[in-house]
Amino acid sequence: MRVLLVGNTGYITKEFVQEAFPESEVFIMGNSLLKTERKKHLNVRPFPERDEELEDIFRTYDFELMVYFSNYITFHGTMEGEAEKLRKVLSYCKRSKEIHVIYLTGPEAGYAATTGKTLLVRGAENLCCQYGKMYQIPVKIVRIPYLYSGVYKEDYFYKMFAAIRSGEPVEIQESPDQPLQFLNSMDLAELLEKMSDNWDEEYHYLNVPNVFSNTFRELEQKIKEIDASVRIENKGLIPVEKIPPDDKVVRFKYGWFPKISLLEDFSDIYDQYLDSIGEKERRIDRWKIWLDKHRPIVKIVELVIGFFLFEFLNHLAGNQAQFKMIDLRLVFIVLFGSLYGINYGIAAAALETVSLLAAYEREGVGWTTLFYEPSNWIPFIFYFAVGAICGYVRMKNKENIEFVTDENKLIQEKFLFMRDMYQDSLYDKRTYKKQIMGSRDSFGKIFDITRKLDTVLPQELFIETIHVMEDMLENHAVAVYSLGKNSEFGRLEIASKEIRSEFPNSIRISKYQAAISELEDGNVWVNRELLPDYPAYMAGIRKNKELVMIVCIKKVRSNQMTLYYMNLFKILCGLVEVALLRALEYQEAAKNMQYVEGTHILKTSYFMERLETFHAMQDEMVASYILLRLEHPGKSKEEADQILQHLIRANDVWGISEEGELYLILSQTDKESLPIVSGRLKKAGIITYETGIAQIARGGGEV
């Protein structure tokens, strides 16, 4: 599964990714401490500054799950830019038919008191809901307690710890009795793993409960435990919020509940903060580092101290019966020879030789006696022999261990090399498969285009036509015109947003006589003579051998004036023609079902469907529309319908609301031309009131 994590991603750790999305390809887009690890299928990058980069990412990676981390999951975090960034991401999610969306937000939306912050949170939630409803995106909004971290610089506790380290007072705005609403990120990871594995459409909103009955008063005590000298200024400016009760949905649906309390985890996140700033270094760690650097000196010191210790034991227990059978000097030699090798074994034997000579001297045996009597040499010979043998055994075992370790390391390197080769081969296979399936001329791409154009609503077909044309032709200067019954004028249905202002809302067909004959014959016309006011490419969509639509490409690059490009444009127009004819045939067959009997007035459900499509086109800035509420005093709806049929263009739509009011959608109409249309209708006895999609139930306002 390919997963996109975007937004306030500073809380994401490697452990979080492994717990939440095991065996998934994860793409993190935001402020994160993680680094890209392609072999572990982890890609990390900042949020793109340009829309083109964001579009390329969604086009390259076919995400199956998108998790948006809201700014509201940070306690007292920044709120700027949330809605705009969320809108951008959702606008690209709607192009994927298979993506699921999880929006993680804070608990403010559930508070009883309404404030500016709760309004912002609810607005962001409503934005997700509207996108999910309009574009059939499966969306789940999960309200969670605030996350916390000791390493994320934007986090509330990171800033608190920074104040503590700098000696500044810690300010707490909340009342001491305010409950602590915080959630451990690993608990959240477990919940996300269960949600992604058990996705359903039953619950749109999920509320993660706060199961720990801790307060800010207890938090102050924890702060004092880590630094007793810290000064806490409790403002108490924010009153105690009423937290809604646990609805048990998350507990019973996913078998999940939070397990880690903030107060239990408080000292650990403080240690994480100290580690992150490089100031936590225990004394024992410093000793370990020093000992590792001066290992030979340490061994010599141990040898000397051990010698004096055994000399003390030999002097203390030498007269006891049980120790007369044990040579402590020989034990010392065996010990150091076995621990540190032959050199230290010989050194220990030399020290004990000196000790034995001193013992003989104390008993009155001189060195000349020892030298001239060979039998007295036996203890000294054994000391050096035992030291050498024990040291040799130690050295031999060490060499064997090093040999086996090196051999294992070599085998491991071979294994890792083979595994990397296998993973690279698998990655190349997936890449080539994606390239083949995503190739502009592949069967997979043709199937994908056919699937996208498989719609029975003309306006939806126009949207998909623009997307397909822009994607396949790598051109953002495409427009679609529909022809009326007399074919004298072409009405703009949709155009690329980058160049929409350059396309007129209406064109006279007679101005393009140089191209019309080619279009009527089913061919593509190319502006090879560079005729002024003509587009670079034109193609016709025909029904019963008559033109019903014209597809134009305003301008192209020099390398796109080729036979291949013309043939590709012709194939795409052919696919659009098949889809459009199928849609028109369906509309014709369903006319009696869609329209009020005996009129061209759309019934409420079908009218709202058209209205949402027009609104989506305007939202993508590829078309515009104006919605009017109509009053027809002294006239029946049938009479008003007859008037509209004569005064309104063929690509305009009118229908009836649930309250029985008549509404009119003026396609590709702006504020400047609205008075002309309103005046024409007023002369015919129809009064117009401008309204919007959100006010249709209330009737809107007067023009």
Side-chain angles (χ1 to χ4, degrees):
M1 181 171 66
R2 289 171 294 278
V3 181
L4 172 63
L5 308 180
V6 62
N8 189 12
T9 55
Y11 296 98
I12 298 176
T13 61
K14 289 184 180 179
E15 295 77 14
F16 179 93
V17 173
Q18 294 169 358
E19 174 70 23
F21 312 107
E23 300 180 1
S24 297
E25 186 175 357
V26 179
F27 194 102
I28 301 176
M29 193 162 57
N31 184 17
S32 176
L33 298 176
L34 300 181
K35 302 296 182 182
T36 296
E37 297 183 27
R38 298 191 183 278
K39 293 183 179 179
K40 295 184 178 180
H41 305 294
L42 177 63
N43 294 277
V44 184
R45 62 155 299 159
F47 192 86
E49 296 182 359
R50 299 188 299 116
D51 292 347
E52 291 79 6
E53 296 180 24
L54 188 61
E55 183 178 4
D56 288 341
I57 291 173
F58 274 87
R59 184 183 299 152
T60 304
Y61 299 90
D62 189 15
F63 297 114
E64 300 171 60
L65 175 65
M66 191 274 284
V67 183
Y68 192 98
F69 290 75
S70 169
N71 289 337
Y72 306 127
I73 63 176
T74 298
F75 189 57
H76 290 327
T78 178
M79 304 301 156
E80 290 80 5
E82 172 84 5
E84 179 60 23
K85 184 183 291 186
L86 180 60
R87 184 198 66 79
K88 283 184 179 180
V89 175
L90 289 174
S91 66
Y92 291 103
C93 287
K94 70 185 181 184
R95 300 184 182 181
S96 175
K97 301 295 183 183
E98 306 297 334
I99 194 169
H100 293 168
V101 175
I102 298 177
Y103 179 59
L104 297 176
T105 185
E108 287 93 347
Y111 289 167
T114 300
T115 63
K117 189 174 182 180
T118 59
L119 290 175
L120 289 174
V121 178
R122 291 166 189 166
E125 291 182 358
N126 186 55
L127 179 63
C128 290
C129 291
Q130 291 299 323
Y131 263 89
K133 181 179 179 181
M134 290 175 61
Y135 303 108
Q136 290 76 50
I137 304 174
V139 175
K140 283 190 182 295
I141 296 173
V142 186
R143 297 171 179 168
I144 65 173
Y146 305 104
L147 296 182
Y148 59 87
S149 170
V151 296
Y152 181 35
K153 293 184 179 180
E154 299 299 324
D155 184 70
Y156 175 75
F157 289 101
Y158 185 96
K159 297 176 180 178
M160 175 189 290
F161 296 149
I164 293 174
R165 295 293 296 175
S166 61
E168 299 176 1
V170 175
E171 293 187 0
I172 297 179
Q173 304 292 332
E174 283 67 29
S175 169
D177 296 325
Q178 174 72 30
L180 285 173
Q181 293 197 84
F182 290 93
L183 178 69
N184 186 275
S185 60
M186 295 307 295
D187 281 341
L188 175 62
E190 183 184 353
L191 175 61
L192 290 177
E193 191 267 337
K194 293 179 180 295
M195 289 180 63
S196 59
D197 284 348
N198 302 279
W199 188 277
D200 58 49
E201 305 299 331
E202 184 177 355
Y203 296 101
H204 190 63
Y205 284 89
L206 290 175
N207 294 289
V208 175
N210 178 34
V211 299
F212 305 106
S213 57
N214 304 124
T215 63
F216 275 87
R217 181 177 283 106
E218 297 174 78
L219 176 62
E220 294 178 19
Q221 297 173 0
K222 280 290 182 181
I223 297 173
K224 287 290 186 179
E225 289 180 10
I226 63 173
D227 191 342
S229 63
V230 66
R231 184 161 53 93
I232 301 176
E233 297 180 358
N234 195 314
K235 304 291 185 178
L237 301 176
I238 301 177
V240 177
E241 297 286 355
K242 293 183 179 180
I243 301 174
D246 183 10
D247 55 13
K248 306 292 185 182
V249 172
V250 176
R251 178 66 178 267
F252 295 128
K253 180 67 179 176
Y254 300 105
W256 175 92
F257 58 91
K259 302 175 183 63
I260 304 175
S261 167
L262 168 63
L263 297 186
E264 295 175 356
D265 206 24
F266 194 73
S267 58
D268 291 336
I269 63 172
Y270 183 63
D271 289 342
Q272 293 172 8
Y273 166 77
L274 294 179
D275 288 336
S276 69
I277 62 175
E279 292 189 10
K280 178 163 179 56
E281 186 180 47
R282 296 178 299 175
R283 183 175 299 176
I284 189 172
D285 295 331
R286 293 197 297 268
W287 276 107
K288 287 180 179 179
I289 295 173
W290 189 90
L291 292 176
D292 289 337
K293 289 182 178 180
H294 304 85
R295 196 64 184 165
I297 297 176
V298 172
K299 290 180 179 180
I300 294 173
V301 172
E302 289 179 354
L303 180 67
V304 174
I305 294 175
F307 171 73
F308 284 110
L309 177 62
F310 272 84
E311 283 296 306
F312 174 74
L313 291 175
N314 194 40
H315 176 73
L316 184 66
N319 295 325
Q320 298 181 14
Q322 59 270 32
F323 282 100
K324 289 183 178 181
M325 303 299 296
I326 301 174
D327 189 351
L328 293 178
R329 294 185 178 90
L330 190 61
V331 172
F332 174 75
I333 295 170
V334 171
L335 178 63
F336 273 86
S338 301
L339 283 176
Y340 297 132
I342 189 170
N343 293 332
Y344 288 91
I346 297 297
L351 289 175
E352 292 302 336
T353 297
V354 174
S355 173
L356 185 59
L357 288 173
Y360 277 128
E361 187 70 30
R362 286 194 300 271
E363 294 178 1
V365 180
W367 67 273
T368 54
T369 304
L370 294 175
F371 180 77
Y372 287 106
E373 180 59 42
S375 62
N376 294 329
W377 298 356
I378 295 175
F380 302 101
I381 294 173
F382 269 96
Y383 283 171
F384 282 96
V386 169
I389 292 171
C390 291
Y392 174 78
V393 172
R394 162 67 179 171
M395 182 179 66
K396 188 66 176 177
N397 290 337
K398 184 179 179 181
E399 289 178 351
N400 291 336
I401 293 173
E402 290 177 351
F403 174 76
V404 173
T405 302
D406 293 339
E407 191 174 16
N408 288 338
K409 185 177 180 181
L410 180 61
I411 295 174
Q412 185 180 19
E413 289 176 353
K414 291 181 178 179
F415 167 75
L416 293 175
F417 176 73
M418 294 300 296
R419 190 183 67 176
D420 291 343
M421 288 185 62
Y422 170 76
Q423 290 179 345
D424 290 341
S425 300
L426 187 61
Y427 177 78
D428 291 340
K429 175 188 173 183
R430 292 174 179 171
T431 303
Y432 295 148
K433 181 180 178 181
K434 189 169 185 178
Q435 289 176 353
I436 293 171
M437 295 300 293
S439 175
R440 199 171 285 111
D441 346 49
S442 70
F443 291 107
K445 197 67 176 180
I446 293 174
F447 171 77
D448 184 56
I449 294 171
T450 306
R451 182 175 59 85
K452 288 180 179 179
L453 297 177
D454 186 16
T455 178
V456 296
L457 196 62
Q459 284 74 23
E460 288 186 358
L461 179 61
F462 296 150
I463 296 177
E464 294 301 336
T465 298
I466 285 292
H467 291 165
V468 168
M469 292 284 184
E470 291 179 344
D471 182 30
M472 296 295 294
L473 299 174
E474 297 182 349
N475 191 297
H476 292 265
V478 184
V480 178
Y481 283 90
S482 63
L483 277 61
K485 296 179 181 179
N486 54 13
S487 300
E488 293 183 2
F489 292 93
R491 308 293 183 184
L492 180 65
E493 294 289 353
I494 196 169
S496 299
K497 65 179 180 180
E498 289 83 356
I499 201 171
R500 189 167 69 89
S501 59
E502 298 185 24
F503 285 104
N505 291 335
S506 179
I507 60 174
R508 187 179 293 273
I509 301 301
S510 59
K511 291 179 60 178
Y512 299 94
Q513 287 301 323
I516 293 300
S517 59
E518 289 283 339
L519 304 184
E520 290 176 343
D521 292 337
N523 299 322
V524 174
W525 181 83
V526 185
N527 190 5
R528 294 189 177 89
E529 299 178 2
L530 302 180
L531 299 176
D533 299 328
Y534 274 73
Y537 283 91
M538 294 180 71
I541 306 296
R542 301 182 302 166
K543 180 182 179 183
N544 298 327
K545 297 184 179 180
E546 293 185 1
L547 285 177
V548 293
M549 281 176 50
I550 295 177
V551 182
C552 306
I553 304 179
K554 182 73 173 177
K555 53 187 177 182
V556 295
R557 299 188 298 272
S558 58
N559 61 349
Q560 293 177 335
M561 295 293 289
T562 62
L563 181 61
Y564 168 80
Y565 199 81
M566 183 186 73
N567 289 334
L568 180 61
F569 182 47
K570 184 177 181 179
I571 292 172
L572 293 176
C573 290
L575 293 174
V576 172
E577 180 177 275
V578 173
L580 179 66
L581 294 180
R582 184 172 60 249
L584 294 177
E585 289 174 0
Y586 173 82
Q587 296 296 326
E588 186 68 25
K591 180 183 295 186
N592 295 333
M593 181 175 60
Q594 295 181 356
Y595 294 99
V596 176
E597 186 177 358
T599 69
H600 286 73
I601 301 174
L602 282 170
K603 294 180 181 179
T604 303
S605 60
Y606 296 101
F607 178 73
M608 291 303 299
E609 186 179 19
R610 298 283 185 92
L611 178 58
E612 289 179 356
T613 307
F614 274 103
H615 189 71
M617 294 166 66
Q618 181 167 276
D619 189 47
E620 291 192 24
M621 295 185 291
V622 294
S624 62
Y625 80 98
I626 290 179
L627 179 63
L628 299 177
R629 180 170 63 87
L630 307 180
E631 289 186 359
H632 40 89
K635 294 181 177 61
S636 64
K637 288 186 175 60
E638 291 75 10
E639 293 173 336
D641 176 62
Q642 292 295 325
I643 295 173
L644 292 174
Q645 291 184 45
H646 290 88
L647 297 181
I648 300 303
R649 300 169 300 178
N651 57 345
D652 296 330
V653 178
W654 57 94
I656 194 170
S657 68
E658 293 181 355
E659 289 75 17
E661 295 179 318
L662 196 61
Y663 284 85
L664 172 63
I665 302 174
L666 297 175
S667 175
Q668 300 293 357
T669 303
D670 50 27
K671 299 287 186 180
E672 296 178 357
S673 57
L674 179 59
I676 300 174
V677 180
S678 299
R680 188 164 63 239
L681 292 175
K682 188 174 182 180
K683 289 181 181 179
I686 297 179
I687 304 173
T688 61
Y689 299 89
E690 185 179 357
T691 184
I693 187 172
Q695 292 81 27
I696 187 170
R698 301 195 298 270
E702 188 173 354
V703 177

